[in-house]
DNA sequence: TTGAAAGCGCTACCAG
DNA sequence: CTGGTAGCGCTTTCAA
């Protein structure tokens, strides 16, 4: 049997012996209904299993209460955490989350149109890489967009992220304090701004400290990518301190170093970024940067609020300072 | 400036000099419109930035194209993987995902009502623990529900999961083959059916093999929970083979064992469940059970399809056999 | 406090 | 192939 239609306010009204308007008012928080009417309505609604539909309201207001969350790899625990935190906060505000996992920019184009058709109120893009083209597509949908961790600029697009350059500088200073002579950087995808910014800060502070230029390897935000990069860096020359673009890379780096017979931290110090749970696991004990997810999420929601109220905040960028969490992988 | 309303088909019609119906037909896949009309309409739509709203259609059909996905801990990479896979398949079918992260059953009640108000077409519950009460709540919403990994029974609720008992039996046989004398089980939450079923199968096959009853510890699906349980099990008596309710527990178990000076696998063999990426990481090299996410997801979608077509499939339960992935933690 | 009526933007049906 | 018209289920005036 095909799904029966939902009961409507008219049916409830009929059963309760009141007008449809009375039913609507009963379910409208601040409306004026006599206790008697309300009671009759609630009873009728109960027996019919009536749940007022939100759909007509959306039609009336063009506001759906839906916020789209575009994400790349949820396999990175950092993003899993961001999604959960964002979802919890949005729910608090009475919004629902439409999750849109995306593999490549390609799929994003189709997605943006679909989201517009659902009249989502806002889009949060938590993609490690968001191309300018993709940003324009999103922007064209006339829906406010906050780009998480990728500093794109376009109309109606703002961005929030960790202060990656600052993190990079702190990493350099820590390795300097540990007297590292041969620093290296294990990068994420070449087009990832977060990776690039971390490297820039790292490089600058290394230079200021009078340390040599870091050698650079790697091109993926994955465990395997980190392992490969580390193996190669070791093969190419001396290394005694590695800053990795994220924790997943750093864990792969540590395992690859150990397979190559290098001890961490005695022979090589390693630093990651994100402070995912695995960083604290016994086998790794990885020093890392906590991006401060709660602050990031709060800034995102605040920006979204500003954007939907006015057109201000578009093009804005908010940076949250990361917090260094020192663990065994950089022990003196 | 408050968000301007979206352009409507009427405005497009006016600009194109055709009727509103013509606009509608232009955007309806199999409809009959002359090439000339279509062209005029598309041009007008383009200049106005028109995206036909899906909302009125929902009102007409009571089908939103939205599928709710209720999840607990996304920090477990297994669930992150399930979410991604489910999302990808649903999108293929033209559905959008509404993500509903939930901490406790408590929040679930409120959520079910809200989902009904959005007229979601189906609910997939990927909660490690779904109480009977919560299932009833969901069931009461008259929306088809598939419970992922929790065998609840209620009207309009079906379930799909890994064959946990089978996995438990295989784990026992593997430890038997390694001549384990003092088996133990690190459990998840006491009320988690998956954990209980895994233990049941483990126990049975151990008994059949003539091995002693396993000692049992633990009560959380987390790294820390596994570590604590292992520490306690070691303190209480001899252990040389541990089957853990999931991989997160197993990784905590391995680290705790090593901290206690026990070698894995030489002194203690360890088996997990889920086969998350970290299981393959060098530091752990954990033997585990792959739940076969693609098969699980396919079964879920098939069941959903059956349920929305008819009332059949309610109360049904589909089991997918897990696949053992042997790694170093159970080496001979 | 109540009920009647208009209208949100679309699809579906009808007559031309 | 086209344009007119009738709703879908609500919220929101407006009178009573």
């Amino acid at each position: 049997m095909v799904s029966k239609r939902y009961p409507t306010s008219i049916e409830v009204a009929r059963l309760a012996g009141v007008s449809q308007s009375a039913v609507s008012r009963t379910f409208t928080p601040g409306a004026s209904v006599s206790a008697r009417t309300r009671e009759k309505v609630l009873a009728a609604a109960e027996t019919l299993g009536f749940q007022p539909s939100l759909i007509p309201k959306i039609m009336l207001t063009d506001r759906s209460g839906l916020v789209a969350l575009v994400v790349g790899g949820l396999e990175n625990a950092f993003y899993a955490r961001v999604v959960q935190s964002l979802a919890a906060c949005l729910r608090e505000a009475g919004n629902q989350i439409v999750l849109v996992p995306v593999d490549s920019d390609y799929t994003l184009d189709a997605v943006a149109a679909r989201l517009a058709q659902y009249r989502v109120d806002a889009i949060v893009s938590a993609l490690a890489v968001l191309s300018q083209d993709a940003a324009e597509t999103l922007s064209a949908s006339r829906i406010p967009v906050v780009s998480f961790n990728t500093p794109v600029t376009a109309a109606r697009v703002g961005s929030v992220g960790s202060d990656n350059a600052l993190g990079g500088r702190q990493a350099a200073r820590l390795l300097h304090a540990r007297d590292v002579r041969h620093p290296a950087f294990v990068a994420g995808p070449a087009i990832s701004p977060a990776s690039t910014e971390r490297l820039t800060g790292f490089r600058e502070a290394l230079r200021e400290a009078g340390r040599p230029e870091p050698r650079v390897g790697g091109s993926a935000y994955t465990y395997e990518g980190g392992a490969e990069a580390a193996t190669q860096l070791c093969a190419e020359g001396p290394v005694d301190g590695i800053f990795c673009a994220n924790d997943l890379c750093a864990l792969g780096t540590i395992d690859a170093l150990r397979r190559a017979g290098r001890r961490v931290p005695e022979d090589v110090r390693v630093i990651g970024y994100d402070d995912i749970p695995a960083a604290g696991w016994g086998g790794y004990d990885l020093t890392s940067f906590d991006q401060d997810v709660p602050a990031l999420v709060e800034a995102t929601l605040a920006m979204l609020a500003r954007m939907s109220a006015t057109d201000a905040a578009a093009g804005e960028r908010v940076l949250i300072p990361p917090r260094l969490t020192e663990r065994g992988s950089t022990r003196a």
Side-chain angles (χ1 to χ4, degrees), chain A residues 114-184:
Chain A
R114 193 119 204 112
L115 293 177
Q117 297 192 313
Y118 273 101
R119 302 305 190 232
V120 303
D121 297 342
I123 299 176
V124 176
S125 159
L127 255 25
V129 174
L130 179 66
S131 71
Q132 188 61 36
D133 268 11
E136 309 276 6
T137 304
L138 253 28
S139 172
S141 67
R142 301 152 143 274
I143 300 171
V145 177
V146 171
S147 167
F148 205 88
N149 244 344
T150 305
V152 284
T153 34
R156 267 176 243 98
V157 180
S159 87
V160 167
S162 174
D163 190 340
N164 295 307
L166 177 59
R169 280 192 293 272
Q170 287 185 251
R173 282 195 286 268
L174 177 55
L175 292 187
H176 172 62
R178 295 290 172 270
D179 200 28
V180 160
R181 309 290 175 93
H182 307 287

Side-chain angles (χ1 to χ4, degrees), chain A residues 3 5-7 18 26 69 76-77 97 130 132 147 150 160-161 178 198 201 204 242 250 255 265 269 292 309 312 320:
Chain A
S3 60
R5 287 193 70 87
Y6 288 87
V18 299
T26 301
L69 187 46
N76 183 340
I97 293 235
L130 179 66
Q132 188 61 36
S147 167
T150 305
V160 167
R178 295 290 172 270
R198 287 165 199 174
E204 280 174 11
I242 306 182
D255 281 336
R269 327 274 166 161
D292 197 350
I320 307 294

Side-chain angles (χ1 to χ4, degrees), chain A residues 11-38:
Chain A
E11 300 174 69
V12 174
R14 192 160 32 218
L15 179 58
V18 299
S19 74
Q20 182 272 334
S21 316
V23 178
S24 175
R25 282 193 283 263
T26 301
F27 286 92
T28 303
S32 65
V33 219
S34 69
R36 246 185 70 63
T37 303
R38 140 170 272 114

